Amino acid sequence: MSSKEEAKERIINWMKEQKKSKHYFNDICKAVPEINMREAKKLINELVSEGRLRYWTSGSTTMYMLPGVDDVEKEEKGMV
Amino acid sequence: MALKHKTPMLDELMKGPWPSFVTDIKRVAERKPQCDDILGLMELSYKDREGHWKHGGIVGVFGYGGGVIGRYCDRPDLFPNVAHFHTMRVNQPASKFYKTDVLRKLCDIWEEKGSGLFNFHGSTGDIILLGTTTDQLEAIFYELTHELGMDLGGSGSNMRTPEGCVGRARCEWSCLDTQDIVYDITMRYQDELHRPAFPYKFKFKVSGCPNDCVAAIARADCSIIGTWRDKIRIDQEAVRAYVGGELVPHGGADGPEKRPLDIQAEVIDKCPTKCMEWDGKNLKIWDEDCVRCMHCINIMPRALRPGEDVGATILVGSKAPILEGAQLSSVIIPFMKMEPPYEEFHEFVGKMWDWWMEHGKNRERLGELIQRLGMREFLRATDVKPDPRMVNTPRYNPYIFYDPDDVPGGWSRDPKAYRERHQP
């Protein structure tokens, strides 16, 4: 596994270990402290593109979460 | 057509001589059931004195982390047509120049796929499309990008859609090509605009002159405000014509009639630095004391014009009150030429963002971070040398701290040895 893929795995594992479901970008970066913020952004965006993370936004701020099954459907039904 | 919901409280807002959003929405509600429900929901909010919208959501278009804001009503049982009522932000053209056929096509898209309600424009300048459902988001995005050549704007922890005044397109005072700067920032920072990774929102606003018609100094995390570094251009004949009552002062803004201008009371005495003098025939300006307030130029536009050696003052840190109170921007770079490809400016932006991303807390704007860690730290991070023109208020802070490197000879300090000599 490349160091990039390994860092992405660490991000996903860190997300899974957390009690809260939504996380700020700054907090996720704690999972890969040796990587600077700009590089971490690229990794996190790749994870979003791959469907392994997803955005949540209030309109003014943005957070990241692990995707679940039927997320949009659940949100629309008011289940989250 | 009779509407479904009675709205006696909202109806009060239709009275009086002013335009009313209630009147507008009722007109659309005759053909759009969402708009009927939105009025009913608003009436309920007025009655309950609390909002009935949930906070945010995960919906968006593929590849973008901004531009779509999920909106859900918390009483879908009463108002099913606005159960899902997502907002889309569309990046406005620089300085908001539109062709009517673009606006017509935009209206057609939104009439078919959304509520028909727009907000021209949001506070960042975007066209706000108010109210659609999740299944329409990708279709709207496709038509915006492929048929209109338009893109979504910024939302969330992104760089927000850059905003600029009308600039040289219609304003003789503009010291900058505001449209080109807005376009350059928009295109260069596409990733920052669409894929959020900042601690919070970040806004650029560009004003062509110190009149600052987009209020960059009050609203932007980074304000680019046009200025000049040579002398105000004076047409002494025109000054005398204003005093003699041959020209309309203030460009007609305080009345269309010609009248003799009381230049002493209306211009000279109002100069904040008293850098002007009128001897009855000629106007003298000590430009080295001018603070670019624009008052004299605004009052006598035919006689005075900004200088010809133009550029921008770069300021940072303004914001509306959220975590901390409202702040105005601080001058960081008193003068920068701002000519394409704007490399000097972008170099500064890169350093500024690196520092903010590294040190900013969640939901902390750049101005709040500077307030927390100090201007000195910000200047050090961006490699900008302190300058007296950055001082907002003289003697505001009596404490001056120096670094050993900044003082000839420097000094060394050993806290451990100090503690051996002094008990805690």
Side-chain angles (χ1 to χ4, degrees), chain A residues 24-27 36-38 41 45 48-49 54-65 71-72 75-80, chain B residues 54-58 62 64-65 68-69 71-72 84 134 155-157 160 191-192 195-197 200 350 353-354 357 360 362-363:
Chain A
Y24 288 106
F25 174 81
N26 278 4
D27 296 331
N36 74 36
M37 295 282 202
R38 291 284 178 101
K41 177 186 174 176
N45 277 323
V48 173
S49 300
R54 78 182 318 158
Y55 298 116
W56 178 93
T57 180
S58 67
S60 70
T61 192
T62 306
M63 301 175 88
Y64 296 82
M65 57 193 290
D71 278 343
V72 174
E75 183 172 276
E76 291 188 342
K77 287 179 178 169
M79 294 162 68
V80 289
Chain B
K54 294 189 203 173
H55 194 59
I58 59 174
F62 185 73
Y64 279 29
V68 178
I69 302 129
R71 290 283 178 253
Y72 300 96
H84 313 148
T134 307
S155 69
S157 303
R160 300 301 182 83
D191 197 49
E192 285 77 4
R195 283 167 277 280
Y200 203 16
W353 279 348
D354 281 345
M357 288 175 78
N362 295 326
R363 302 189 74 222

Side-chain angles (χ1 to χ4, degrees), chain B residues 81-332:
Chain B
N81 294 305
V82 293
H84 313 148
F85 203 74
H86 310 318
T87 298
M88 298 184 84
R89 289 186 187 163
V90 179
N91 193 328
Q92 80 281 14
S95 303
K96 306 189 184 81
F97 280 100
Y98 300 101
K99 289 164 77 176
T100 50
D101 65 327
V102 167
L103 290 175
R104 286 179 200 285
K105 282 181 193 165
L106 191 61
C107 289
D108 289 344
I109 293 170
W110 196 233
E111 185 73 19
E112 183 194 339
K113 296 183 167 63
S115 72
L117 294 180
F118 289 95
N119 176 4
F120 278 88
H121 298 83
S123 60
T124 306
D126 296 291
I127 306 161
I128 311 289
L129 311 183
L130 293 160
T132 191
T133 49
T134 307
D135 57 329
Q136 298 287 6
L137 294 173
E138 289 288 355
I140 293 166
F141 179 57
Y142 184 89
E143 290 192 27
L144 281 174
T145 48
H146 288 72
E147 292 183 19
L148 297 184
M150 299 180 94
D151 195 3
L152 294 183
S155 69
S157 303
N158 280 355
M159 181 186 92
R160 300 301 182 83
T161 310
E163 165 95 299
C165 74
V166 74
R168 285 176 177 154
R170 290 187 61 82
C171 180
E172 63 191 279
W173 292 330
S174 185
C175 302
L176 300 172
D177 186 343
T178 55
Q179 280 113 28
D180 190 58
I181 294 169
V182 166
Y183 184 74
D184 181 80
I185 291 172
T186 305
M187 299 310 285
R188 182 181 282 249
Y189 298 123
Q190 279 284 296
D191 197 49
E192 285 77 4
L193 180 60
H194 297 307
R195 283 167 277 280
F198 287 146
Y200 203 16
K201 63 182 85 167
F202 192 95
K203 300 179 179 181
F204 285 106
K205 296 191 192 296
V206 190
S207 282
C209 81
N211 274 334
D212 193 10
C213 288
V214 292
I217 203 166
R219 306 192 297 154
D221 297 275
C222 182
S223 319
I224 304 160
I225 300 180
T227 187
W228 62 94
R229 58 181 172 183
D230 52 350
K231 294 176 182 298
I232 293 175
R233 287 175 281 171
I234 308 175
D235 177 345
Q236 297 289 0
E237 279 297 322
V239 177
R240 287 189 281 273
Y242 275 112
V243 175
E246 297 164 37
L247 295 171
V248 181
H250 212 166
D254 50 5
E257 302 301 321
K258 288 179 184 172
R259 62 174 176 83
L261 175 71
D262 184 348
I263 193 168
Q264 188 64 42
E266 295 181 57
V267 180
I268 309 288
D269 292 348
K270 290 190 173 172
C271 175
T273 55
K274 308 293 179 221
C275 73
M276 315 180 83
E277 194 175 285
W278 169 247
D279 65 4
K281 286 184 181 170
N282 288 299
L283 179 69
K284 165 75 181 158
I285 301 176
W286 282 270
D287 289 85
E288 61 275 22
D289 291 330
C290 171
V291 290
R292 314 293 191 266
C293 80
M294 293 290 288
H295 177 72
C296 59
I297 296 174
N298 290 338
I299 295 294
M300 301 189 291
R302 291 274 290 275
L304 303 178
R305 304 184 71 189
E308 290 178 302
D309 186 7
V310 294
T313 298
I314 311 297
L315 308 94
V316 302
S318 64
K319 54 175 280 296
I322 298 184
L323 292 188
E324 296 282 338
Q327 285 184 37
L328 292 179
S329 293
S330 302
V331 171
I332 298 300

